[in-house]
Every structure is written in C-alpha cells, then in structure tokens.
C-alpha cells in the first residue's frame, strides 16, 4: 500500500477486532482497520474444493480440473455509473457486482470457481459498506459454488468502486465463444427483455449459469453472449465476431419483459425498442442449429426458458421483420462508455 501527498489511500493502523472495545469508552467499539476487515471477510469464507489457498496469503492457489480450460473475467462497477449508492444499498451492489461476472462465465457455458474482490471504499463509511457488499455476494457465491479467494481493500475520498474477477472452468464440451454463429442458425434468448434499468431489476440479475450448462450438455451452442448492453448491441458482437454475418429478427417473437411496458409509460418509447436496446437484462443470447432449437424447445431442461427471436443470415446487419412482412434495419448500437456525452 502507498501513501503520498494529501489525496491518499487510507492506511488503517489500528488492529482492534470487531469485538474489541475502546479502553477509553468500554461501550464504544474501536473502528475496524483494514486487516480486521479482511479477517472478518475471511471468517465468513470457507475454502475447499479447487481453492487450496484462499484469503490470507499474497496469492490464492487454485487447482484446476485436469484438462479444463480456465476462464477469467473481470467487471468494474462504479458509483454514479452502474448504481447510485443510497438508491442502491451496499448489499445490492455486492450482489450485482458478483452476478454480472457470473453472467460472463455463463455466456461461455463455464463453471464458476473463484471470485476476487477489489474495492475502493468511500472513507467514512468504509467498513459498513464493505460488510454490506460481502453480505450481498455471499449467498450468490454459495448458490453457484464460487469461493471468495482474495481481493484488495482500499479507501479514499472518492465514490465506491467494486471490481470483481471471477475464475471459471470449461466443461468437457469446451467454451462457447461469440465467434461460432453460422448462416441459418436459430437465434434464441433465455428470458424476456427490457425495462431493467427503470424498474431496478438491473440490481438483481440472475446469472444463467445452470441454463447455459444444461443447454450446452444437450446440443451444440454455436455462439453465445450475455445481454448486458441490449439485444441489438450484443447480438451485433456475435455477428461481427462470426465473420460479418447478419440477423433477421422477428418483431413479434421477441419476449418483452413486463417492466418494459412500465418503462414505456415513462418515456413514450415502444416496448419493442426497450426490449432491443435497454441494457442489463443479463439473459443469454445464443445461436444454434434450428433443428437443435426445435428439439430443445420441445423438451426444455428443468428451469430453462428459451425464446427463438430470429435467424442468422449472410447479409450483414440486423433487420427487424414485422407481422405485415415489412423489414426495417436496426442499428447495432448500445451503451458505449467512451462515447462523447450527448
Ligand atoms: P498484499 O498487500 O500482499 O496484496 P493484502 O494485505 O492486500 O495483501 O491482502 C491480504 C489477503 O487478503 C490477500 O489474500 C488478499 O487476497 C485478501 N483480501 C484483501 N482484501 C480483500 C477483500 N476485500 N475481499 C477478499 N479478500 C481480500
Ligand atoms: Mg493487496
């Protein structure tokens, strides 16, 4: 850790434990320091499985399954950009920060193994926020068998920033990439889309880990992505990575979330526009042989929803076909962090 000048990362020097009382005032607990907080997090965490060394050393030690590929993903969430602390609690932010990383593992049809949590905590309320973040992550990690195996703890005079890195493993069927779509493939999504930001659903994404694994086990998924920026944008990545293909979407088949209908009343845009361009649905979009889609749809694995929304075509670009047969091009454009402010 480093300290220089007046704008510094906080160094906590006290070593009081959570339970330790201030000698001057026996009823007032000493504030927790960095190492007390890490010790607290460590006490909440159990290691076993693939993590032979978790929190407490300079690195974690992970034992990969033999033959498995290691998947690595990282996502940063910033107060004021991905959430607003106050409107969202630290518990919700912790949940979301882990869930969006798990969603990336799902998008490769992988099995999540370990999570690493790096935080820049706002000074003043640092410990309570860190504990809240942990309370949001822990049940989700437990649900998916992910071990919290390390991280980094900092405090500063800035807003909350949480960066989580998740390690995962491929199954024997390998990782599914964005680049494998073929002309003629069915395009499917795992759930209804739109209205996530307006409704607050963006704070509670459901990582489609088990859905992806169940589908991957039954059929060959040609290409897959998780929908973080909106179907029109994220499907565009599959098309570009797959060598410049196109997509014909069927307007009436796109599953629209009920919350997209509520969002329409706020901004006057159509439900379909919301479903195509709202971000943060965190459903999966996949392409597969249409015969495989039909077989799957006729006998869906337990807990899996799947909606066919269109077909991969040779002609580049995304087109939307309406019930009257008319076809309109749509722009594959989603949220861009580096776009100039509008
Ligand atoms: P170093 O200075 O060697 O990087 P740290 O003192 O930062 O070590 O961290 C000590 C241990 O605690 C490491 O195993 C690290 O991965 C873990 N750790 C630190 N902060 C967190 C956190 N917020 N969540 C989980 N583990 C953490
Ligand atoms: Mg460190």
């Amino acid at each position: 850790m480093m300290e220089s000048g007046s704008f510094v990362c906080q160094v906590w020097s006290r070593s009081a434990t959570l339970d330790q009382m201030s000698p001057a005032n026996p009823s007032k607990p000493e504030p927790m320091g960095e190492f007390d907080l890490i010790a607290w997090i460590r006490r909440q965490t159990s290691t076993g499985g693939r993590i032979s060394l978790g929190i407490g050393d300079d690195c974690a030690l992970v034992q990969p399954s033999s033959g498995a590929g290691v998947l690595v993903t990282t996502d940063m969430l910033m107060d004021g950009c991905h959430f607003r602390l106050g409107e969202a609690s630290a518990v919700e932010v912790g949940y979301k920060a882990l869930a969006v990383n798990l969603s990336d593992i799902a998008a490769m049809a992988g099995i999540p193994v370990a999570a690493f949590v790096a935080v820049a905590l706002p000074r003043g309320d640092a410990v309570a926020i860190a504990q809240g973040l942990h309370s949001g992550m822990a049940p989700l990690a437990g649900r998916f068998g992910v071990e919290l195996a390390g991280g980094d703890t900092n405090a500063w005079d800035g807003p909350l920033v949480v960066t989580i890195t998740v390690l995962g493993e491929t199954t024997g069927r390998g990782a599914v990439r964005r680049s494998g779509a073929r002309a003629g493939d069915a395009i499917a999504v795992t759930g209804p889309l739109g209205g996530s930001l307006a409704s607050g659903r963006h704070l509670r994404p459901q990582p489609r880990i088990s859905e992806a694994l169940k589908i991957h086990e039954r059929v060959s998924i040609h290409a897959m992505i998780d929908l973080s920026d909106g179907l029109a944008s994220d499907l565009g990545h599959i098309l570009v990575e797959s060598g410049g293909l196109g997509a014909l979407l069927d307007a009436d088949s796109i599953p629209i979330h009920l919350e997209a209908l509520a969002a329409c009343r706020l901004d006057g845009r159509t439900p379909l526009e919301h479903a195509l361009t709202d971000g943060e649905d965190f459903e999966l979009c996949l392409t597969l042989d249409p015969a495989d889609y039909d077989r799957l749809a006729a006998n869906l694995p337990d807990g899996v929803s799947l909606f066919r929304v269109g077909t991969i075509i040779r002609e580049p670009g995304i087109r939307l076909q309406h019930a009257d047969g008319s076809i309109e091009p749509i722009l594959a454009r989603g949220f861009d962090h580096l776009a100039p402010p509008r």
Side-chain angles (χ1 to χ4, degrees):
M1 223 175 316
M2 193 179 64
E3 182 157 5
S4 62
S6 56
F7 189 70
V8 293
C9 294
Q10 180 162 343
V11 178
W12 284 288
S13 54
R14 279 180 295 263
S15 59
T17 68
L18 182 64
D19 315 315
Q20 194 174 337
M21 300 300 162
S22 153
N25 180 356
S27 63
K28 189 168 171 273
E30 276 280 317
M32 260 181 157
E34 172 184 347
F35 299 107
D36 307 311
L37 175 64
I38 295 172
W40 180 87
I41 293 171
R42 189 176 179 180
R43 284 199 296 277
Q44 319 293 310
T45 311
S46 61
T47 46
R50 308 225 171 289
I51 313 302
S52 43
L53 187 58
I55 295 173
D57 214 312
D58 291 308
C59 293
L61 189 57
V62 182
Q63 302 295 336
S65 312
S66 79
V70 178
L71 299 165
V72 186
T73 182
T74 194
D75 260 314
M76 175 188 281
L77 262 56
M78 301 177 291
D79 188 2
C81 181
H82 302 92
F83 61 88
R84 278 179 228 290
L85 198 62
E87 287 172 28
S89 67
V91 177
E92 289 175 308
V93 173
Y95 176 96
K96 177 172 178 177
L98 180 56
V100 300
N101 277 280
L102 295 178
S103 180
D104 284 324
I105 298 284
M108 308 292 286
I111 302 165
V113 171
F116 298 84
V117 180
V119 286
L121 300 163
R123 215 193 300 277
D125 214 10
V127 170
I129 291 172
Q131 291 181 321
L133 291 172
H134 184 80
S135 307
M137 285 172 214
L140 187 63
R143 205 171 117 205
F144 290 103
V146 180
E147 293 182 43
L148 176 57
D152 195 27
T153 302
N154 305 277
W156 68 331
D157 293 323
L160 175 62
V161 181
V162 186
T163 301
I164 300 191
T165 301
V166 171
L167 297 191
E169 284 187 353
T170 57
T171 67
R173 288 173 67 79
V176 177
R177 304 174 183 208
R178 297 178 177 184
S179 55
R182 302 172 199 167
D185 275 0
I187 306 167
V189 297
T190 53
L193 310 176
S196 161
L197 289 165
S199 67
R201 188 173 93 248
H202 71 101
L203 292 169
R204 302 177 291 277
Q206 298 299 321
R208 300 301 185 194
I209 298 273
S210 59
E211 290 83 346
L213 291 173
K214 286 175 183 175
I215 297 171
H216 193 40
E217 200 185 310
R218 294 250 197 114
V219 299
S220 165
I221 305 174
H222 293 170
M224 189 151 64
I225 191 168
D226 68 322
L227 297 177
S228 53
D229 295 331
L231 178 63
S233 168
D234 291 320
L235 174 58
H237 295 308
I238 287 187
L239 300 176
V240 169
E241 293 300 320
S242 299
L245 294 171
L248 184 62
L249 297 178
D250 175 12
D252 282 356
S253 302
I254 294 169
I256 293 171
H257 202 286
L258 278 179
E259 288 164 0
L261 303 177
C264 294
R265 288 194 279 278
L266 296 177
D267 63 12
R269 294 167 66 221
T270 68
L272 188 59
E273 277 178 291
H274 278 281
L276 287 170
T277 60
D278 285 359
E280 311 234 333
D281 290 305
F282 296 106
E283 297 295 345
L284 298 173
C285 173
L286 51 140
T287 85
L288 68 176
D289 191 284
D292 282 341
Y293 174 83
D294 289 342
R295 272 200 306 126
L296 258 183
N299 183 18
L300 279 174
D302 275 353
V304 177
S305 302
L306 209 54
F307 304 85
R308 179 164 180 180
V309 296
T311 303
I312 298 286
I313 56 175
R314 281 193 197 289
E315 210 177 337
I318 303 181
R319 291 172 177 73
L320 190 62
Q321 180 155 35
H322 294 280
D324 62 6
S326 63
I327 293 178
E328 63 170 316
I330 56 175
L331 284 180
R333 206 169 51 198
F335 185 75
D336 178 347
H337 277 280
L338 302 186
R342 273 184 284 179

